[in-house]
Amino acid sequence: MGLANEALRSMERDFLELLGRLIALRSISAEPTCAPILAETAEVLRQFLIGCGFSASLHENYGPGPILTAECGPRDAPLSVLLYGHYDVQPPEPMDLWRAEPFALQEFDGTFYGRGIADDKGPMLLMLWELCKMRPNSSPVRTVVLLEGGEEVGSPGFADFLRAQRSQLAANATLIVDSGCPDNGIPALTTGLRGIISFEIHLRTGERELHSGFGGCIPNAVQELVKLCGRLHEESGRVAVPNFYENVAMPSGEELAAFRSEQERDPIPQKAFAVTYLRNIFPPLLPRSVHALLPSLEFHGISGGYQGPGNKNIIPAEASAKFSIRLVPNQDPEFVRDAVEKFLRKNVPPHVSEMSVHASTPSQSYAIDWTSASPAYITLFRAMEVSLQESFSAKPLHLREGGSIGVVGAFKEILGIDSILVGVVPPSSNIHGPNENWQIDTMKKAQRALASFREIF
Ligand code: BES
Ligand code: MN
Ligand code: MN
């Protein structure tokens, strides 16, 4: 790693060393063989927190990796903050699209690269460094840390853990540095997240694949699957499932204004996503706001048949697809899940001999409800707002986001706590994709914001 960059040189060596260690750990929660690495990552973080003067422990059997809890400060403190983050990452594939090894911290032209650098190892470590390592000894604020290794697979078991540990986890607010911002230099305070339900469908048209010389009279699993998948959207791009948009609340005037000013700042938002156009499926809204304000249905992958080198002339007998739906506040997740399942069953093409549909348990959507938020939460939110504004010299935008963090709804529902979601990762960071990165200058600004937030500690 070259140390030419001025920002990099001034960054603490110990911090970069630990960040490098975390990035090097292949903590992929979707990959069962990574379980020992998830445990190792949790242990590295536990040791770090012990070194910060926290008491820390690991809790097994609540997900693919241990849940880590740590705490410092008096139990009866007048103010308490729960710091949440996730140490698991998404798979790196396809490998050939990376410019360098994903599980090694690398720097090119003032930007760090590596799987998890932006989601969420980099932002998470920054938060822990500034608020735990640099925490003043005499701080009257109670600080609770809660880290998990299963966020990227929907946090299975996490809600059970929250229910079991409710009393230890009480706090005035959770702080989460794991959200998006419109661009480098423009921070966000995320005011809502979408919920998510993941689906997997598998269908079969025959007992075994056949020579395609029989083609013409034999049902083809790939063709039938593609037909079925195609029925889920209208030509306009809207989801075709009846009642899919039921109960979706119109955004507030303040929210629409925030997105409008975002559109004025960045009139060609498609550039940030490296696509040539953004579809507008609901013209009263701006295309750039649709991902935050409306539910959606996206395919992640379709498989079936032959995709190897050369040809293999067969008629596939089975095929499968993975997709998920994102939900916004006010929607009833079970109702929408049932509506999608019913639609699939009703539209399954004839000649499909077998179809299975698997739907995950829903992750709740979230939106800050200012009318019920506690004064302590609002104080902490404003302190973060001032800190971000000072450090970035830009007012943090209040925007809902299209992504999901399964536990945020559970924090509200089970612990009754609202979340402060700090967005310091722009679309160009390419989280979940190849060449995941975080601009060092943005990282330094986020660090300064967290350091100034620490002043209330
Ligand atoms: N940090 C992201 C969520 C996110 C992304 C929030 C961009 C705001 C802006 C998180 O790690 C994530 O990827 N969540 C998954 C959740 C799913 C697996 C249940 C997601 O959104 O797909
Ligand atoms: Mn994340
Ligand atoms: Mn993620």
Side-chain angles (χ1 to χ4, degrees):
M1 188 169 41
L3 286 176
N5 187 290
E6 177 61 37
L8 184 55
R9 210 177 306 135
S10 65
M11 214 147 193
E12 241 185 285
R13 240 194 42 222
D14 294 351
F15 173 82
L16 291 177
E17 203 178 289
L18 183 54
L19 182 59
R21 260 183 94 189
L22 289 176
I23 299 290
L25 287 160
R26 274 182 82 86
S27 51
I28 306 166
S29 48
E31 178 52 71
T33 60
C34 288
I37 303 179
L38 286 159
E40 190 184 337
T41 314
E43 180 57 22
V44 167
L45 289 162
R46 190 179 77 94
Q47 291 299 338
F48 166 70
L49 285 161
I50 288 171
C52 297
F54 281 57
S55 60
S57 32
L58 300 180
H59 309 260
E60 312 282 345
N61 303 323
Y62 287 101
I67 289 179
L68 188 161
T69 55
E71 56 178 85
C72 198
R75 280 219 158 219
D76 56 354
L79 203 59
S80 53
V81 183
L82 191 156
L83 311 179
Y84 166 86
H86 65 92
Y87 62 80
D88 63 321
V89 296
Q90 290 271 328
E93 284 78 14
M95 297 298 287
D96 55 325
L97 296 182
W98 286 80
R99 59 190 291 178
E101 158 63 29
F103 294 99
L105 181 63
Q106 319 244 7
E107 188 251 333
F108 301 106
D109 297 330
T111 297
F112 278 135
Y113 287 79
R115 174 54 91 227
I117 185 64
D119 183 15
D120 176 38
K121 287 175 174 173
M124 172 187 72
L125 185 61
L126 213 51
M127 169 180 79
L128 298 177
W129 195 273
E130 292 305 323
L131 301 180
C132 301
K133 179 124 183 121
M134 309 296 279
R135 179 182 190 275
N137 274 334
S138 56
S139 172
V141 177
R142 178 169 152 81
T143 308
V144 181
V145 177
L146 183 52
L147 309 179
E148 68 157 319
E151 194 276 342
E152 298 290 9
V153 292
S155 306
F158 196 88
D160 290 340
F161 180 80
L162 289 187
R163 277 186 209 100
Q165 304 276 324
R166 200 178 315 207
S167 55
Q168 281 90 302
L169 300 173
N172 296 115
T174 76
L175 178 65
I176 304 175
V177 190
D178 187 26
S179 189
C181 62
D183 205 346
N184 279 305
I186 302 171
L189 277 164
T190 300
T191 51
L193 293 164
R194 292 197 292 185
I196 184 168
I197 303 175
S198 300
F199 287 81
E200 211 170 321
I201 54 181
H202 187 263
L203 60 78
R204 185 174 269 291
T205 46
E207 213 169 284
R208 57 193 153 82
E209 48 177 54
L210 294 166
H211 190 291
S212 61
F214 296 115
C217 59
I218 310 283
N220 181 313
V222 168
Q223 287 162 217
E224 300 305 325
L225 178 68
V226 167
K227 215 187 296 170
L228 176 61
C229 293
R231 289 185 185 150
L232 283 160
H233 291 93
E234 292 169 5
E235 205 48 56
S236 66
R238 289 194 208 188
V239 177
V241 176
N243 306 318
F244 188 78
Y245 296 96
E246 196 170 297
N247 289 337
V248 171
M250 272 311 286
S252 69
E254 198 192 339
E255 272 182 317
L256 289 175
F259 279 108
R260 207 169 300 123
S261 76
E262 194 15 47
Q263 176 93 5
E264 277 158 24
R265 185 194 63 79
D266 183 13
I268 24 182
Q270 54 269 44
K271 264 200 167 160
F273 301 101
V275 296
T276 45
Y277 95 119
L278 294 183
R279 208 163 45 189
N280 197 351
I281 64 162
F282 194 73
L285 299 178
L286 297 164
R288 179 67 174 85
S289 67
V290 158
H291 74 289
L293 304 177
L294 292 183
S296 63
L297 186 159
E298 292 296 324
F299 282 90
H300 310 309
I302 288 194
S303 60
Y306 182 70
Q307 288 279 24
N311 8 296
K312 182 182 177 221
N313 302 335
I314 47 101
I315 301 172
E318 54 184 321
S320 56
K322 286 178 192 264
F323 68 90
S324 67
I325 57 176
R326 302 268 175 180
L327 305 165
V328 297
N330 242 12
Q331 284 187 292
D332 175 350
E334 267 84 25
F335 173 83
V336 185
R337 180 177 64 185
D338 292 349
V340 171
E341 264 203 69
K342 211 167 114 192
F343 183 86
L344 288 168
R345 301 227 177 265
K346 201 173 151 197
N347 283 277
V348 60
H351 320 303
V352 169
S353 51
E354 246 177 77
M355 178 173 75
S356 68
V357 179
H358 178 265
S360 72
T361 40
S363 292
Q364 299 280 356
S365 61
Y366 174 75
I368 302 171
D369 175 5
W370 293 106
T371 58
S372 70
S374 71
Y377 171 81
I378 294 172
T379 303
L380 290 163
F381 185 97
R382 295 287 169 226
M384 183 56 80
E385 178 148 54
V386 170
S387 304
L388 285 165
Q389 165 137 26
E390 276 172 12
S391 156
F392 282 80
S393 307
K395 206 173 158 51
L397 295 169
H398 291 200
L399 297 173
R400 279 198 257 161
E401 270 288 352
S404 312
I405 303 175
V407 303
V408 173
F411 284 144
K412 179 74 176 179
E413 195 181 299
I414 299 168
L415 304 180
I417 313 178
D418 277 298
S419 291
I420 299 169
L421 293 149
V422 178
V424 281
V425 167
S428 60
S429 280
N430 214 26
I431 61 172
H432 294 197
N435 301 313
E436 179 177 346
N437 67 85
W438 203 16
Q439 203 185 73
I440 294 172
D441 189 50
T442 301
M443 182 169 177
K444 295 287 296 178
K445 285 178 179 154
Q447 184 182 24
R448 267 202 300 277
L450 288 161
S452 98
F453 181 74
R454 188 179 62 231
E455 279 163 26
I456 60 168
F457 276 51

